[in-house]
């Protein structure tokens, strides 16, 4: 599989996150990439498409914030990673917030998404990785490509980070594919967690279909989004499909949801597919609770490939480091078998 990755993506290396009221080692670690690279072999270095494709999805003030947040943190005399603690989600008004702690609340939605010294640069190159994979399909005639994005992206919205995500790589390429006339575009999100950022970005947009199979948000992060009755709004009504599944889900019921998602993508008339691939549906993932096996990752890839669409796979989550490389390579083998 044609795969893109930049070593600059490893510059993002927060130390810890808040979990169940305590500090734990940052689950979205740089070791994840080592496991994947060892399993998949050669990767290509991305080109630089600049900030414009990022700004087509993200707010310019949010980019400035991300670019300056860690320096701003250090300027306040702090050490380590910038982490917020004040989240004014209700009845907040438009204020010119300068204090770093206020900005972290304004531009984020959880305390598990630290901003470290290399976060902006790594996230920037993660997005360039996705854009390069898109260009391989759009300009070089490839049928499919894999963007080994890290940090992941699907929890990030137009003007906020969250869930280890800063730039929404899948949304950036879905939007650019649509603008390049490759649409209608569908995004299929198979990460364990609901892709709330991607959903939010396209919620009122009828040109990009978003389907997600994930842990029921009644039980699991991100709690506030991903419920089955969220179906899109205005022009986007009917172009969002949420298929929440219970903890403990194995292939037999996953397969049914996947079939429904793929059928909806066909019915929508998609001509281009972006798949947000998370390996955190794997049995034994340290922060997740499905029970898919490595062979099921191949089955997901093969089922997606049967759609016969130009397909760009974007890496999202997956935290069982020892199994991560095998899971990603099984998924890619499935995609290639189609
Ligand atoms: C991209 C992605 O997969 N983001 C996931 C972000 C999840 N962040 C918070 C998860 C909290 C899980 N707590 C589980 C406790 C297990 N002992
Ligand atoms: Zn996830």
């Amino acid at each position: 599989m044609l795969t893109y990755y930049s070593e600059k993506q490893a510059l993002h290396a927060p130390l810890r996150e808040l979990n169940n009221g305590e500090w734990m080692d940052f689950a979205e670690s740089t070791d994840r990439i080592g496991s994947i690279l060892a399993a998949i072999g050669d990767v290509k270095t991305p080109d630089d498409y600049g900030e414009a494709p990022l700004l087509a999805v993200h707010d310019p003030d949010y980019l400035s914030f991300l670019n300056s947040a860690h320096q701003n943190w250090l300027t306040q005399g702090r050490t380590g990673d910038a982490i917020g603690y004040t989240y004014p989600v209700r009845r907040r008004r438009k204020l010119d917030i300068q204090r770093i702690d206020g900005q972290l609340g304004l531009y984020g939605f959880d305390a598990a998404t630290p901003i470290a010294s290399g976060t902006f640069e790594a996230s920037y190159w993660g997005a360039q990785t996705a854009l390069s994979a898109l260009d391989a399909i759009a300009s070089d005639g490839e049928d499919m490509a894999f963007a080994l994005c890290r940090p992941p992206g699907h929890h990030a919205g137009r003007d906020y980070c969250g869930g280890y995500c800063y730039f929404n790589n899948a949304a950036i390429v879905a939007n650019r594919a649509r603008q390049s006339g490759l649409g209608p575009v569908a995004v299929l999100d198979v990460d364990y967690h609901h892709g709330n950022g991607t959903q939010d970005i396209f919620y009122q947009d009828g040109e990009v279909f978003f389907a997600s199979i994930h842990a029921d948000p009644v039980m699991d992060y991100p709690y506030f989004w991903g419920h089955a009755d969220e179906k899109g709004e205005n022009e986007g009504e009917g172009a969002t499909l949420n298929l929440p599944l219970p903890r403990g889900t194995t292939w037999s019921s996953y397969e049914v949801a996947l079939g429904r998602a793929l059928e909806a993508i066909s019915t929508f008339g998609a001509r281009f597919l972006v798949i947000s691939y998370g390996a955190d549906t794997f049995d034994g993932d340290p922060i997740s609770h499905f029970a898919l096996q490595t062979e099921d990752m191949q089955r997901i890839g093969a089922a997606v490939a049967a759609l016969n669409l130009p397909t760009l796979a974007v890496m999202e989550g997956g935290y069982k480091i020892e199994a991560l490389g095998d899971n990603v390579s099984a998924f890619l083998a499935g995609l290639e078998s189609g």
Side-chain angles (χ1 to χ4, degrees):
M1 176 72 67
L2 176 61
T3 298
Y4 287 86
Y5 172 71
S6 164
E7 283 171 10
K8 297 202 182 93
Q9 292 168 230
L11 294 171
H12 172 65
L15 290 179
R16 55 189 191 167
E17 63 179 293
L18 196 57
N19 181 57
N20 299 344
E22 294 178 352
W23 290 114
M24 71 167 205
D25 289 346
F26 190 58
E28 201 283 281
S29 74
T30 51
D31 297 347
R32 296 177 63 239
I33 293 294
S35 171
I36 298 170
L37 289 177
I40 67 172
D42 278 358
V43 294
K44 292 187 80 166
T45 303
D47 292 325
D48 189 352
Y49 295 82
E51 285 189 354
L54 282 61
L55 288 166
V57 161
H58 291 286
D59 180 289
D61 292 344
Y62 172 64
L63 251 78
S64 308
F65 157 75
L66 263 190
N67 201 358
S68 62
H70 192 258
Q71 187 53 50
N72 197 348
W73 179 260
L74 297 179
T75 301
Q76 298 306 317
R78 317 276 176 71
T79 57
D81 307 329
I83 301 186
Y85 70 101
T86 306
Y87 296 93
V89 292
R90 275 178 290 281
R91 286 174 285 285
R92 75 185 184 197
R93 61 196 172 100
K94 202 161 166 43
L95 292 170
D96 181 19
I97 304 278
Q98 293 300 328
R99 184 71 169 168
I100 181 62
D101 308 280
Q103 290 187 346
L104 288 162
L106 185 60
Y107 293 115
F109 72 91
D110 68 31
T113 311
I115 300 176
S117 61
T119 297
F120 181 86
E121 194 173 0
S123 307
Y124 176 89
W125 283 100
Q128 302 304 329
T129 282
L131 288 161
S132 297
L134 173 61
D135 212 15
I137 299 173
S139 308
D140 304 343
E142 296 285 340
D143 293 335
M144 44 182 76
F146 177 49
L148 181 42
C149 292
R150 179 188 175 272
H154 74 151
H155 295 299
R158 194 182 76 85
D159 57 357
Y160 54 84
C161 57
Y164 316 147
C165 302
Y166 305 85
F167 292 134
N168 194 315
N169 308 304
I172 288 167
V173 290
N175 183 61
R176 191 167 166 96
R178 172 254 301 271
Q179 288 180 339
S180 314
L182 299 173
V185 176
V187 180
L188 172 63
D189 190 318
V190 297
D191 186 277
Y192 177 80
H193 306 94
H194 178 246
N196 62 286
T198 315
Q199 169 169 304
D200 190 16
I201 288 165
F202 297 118
Y203 207 58
Q204 313 211 3
D205 188 333
E207 287 179 14
V208 178
F209 190 82
F210 176 70
S212 181
I213 305 167
H214 50 267
D216 192 335
V218 168
M219 286 295 290
D220 276 279
Y221 182 94
Y223 308 107
F224 300 94
W225 309 278
H227 302 270
D229 61 352
E230 295 161 25
K231 296 180 176 172
E233 257 171 26
N234 301 331
E235 302 289 299
E237 196 166 345
T240 290
L241 175 65
N242 282 300
L243 300 166
L245 295 172
R247 286 186 172 194
T249 287
T250 58
W251 179 251
S252 60
S253 47
Y254 196 91
E255 179 181 30
V256 176
L258 183 59
R260 283 186 61 192
L262 296 174
E263 191 182 311
I265 287 168
S266 291
T267 304
F268 175 74
R271 300 291 305 276
F272 188 93
L273 182 70
V274 175
I275 174 161
S276 271
Y277 175 70
D280 43 8
T281 51
F282 181 64
D283 196 2
D285 188 277
I287 67 164
S288 313
H289 308 275
F290 281 176
L292 297 193
Q293 307 300 310
T294 299
E295 70 222 45
D296 301 330
M297 304 302 173
Q298 174 150 7
R299 290 169 164 156
I300 294 174
V304 168
L307 280 179
N308 238 326
L309 292 173
T311 299
L312 198 178
V314 172
M315 192 68 210
E316 301 287 358
Y319 308 100
K320 180 80 174 170
I321 308 280
E322 311 87 279
L324 185 56
D326 287 346
N327 284 333
V328 171
S329 94
F331 166 69
L332 295 177
L335 264 187
E336 281 180 322
S337 74

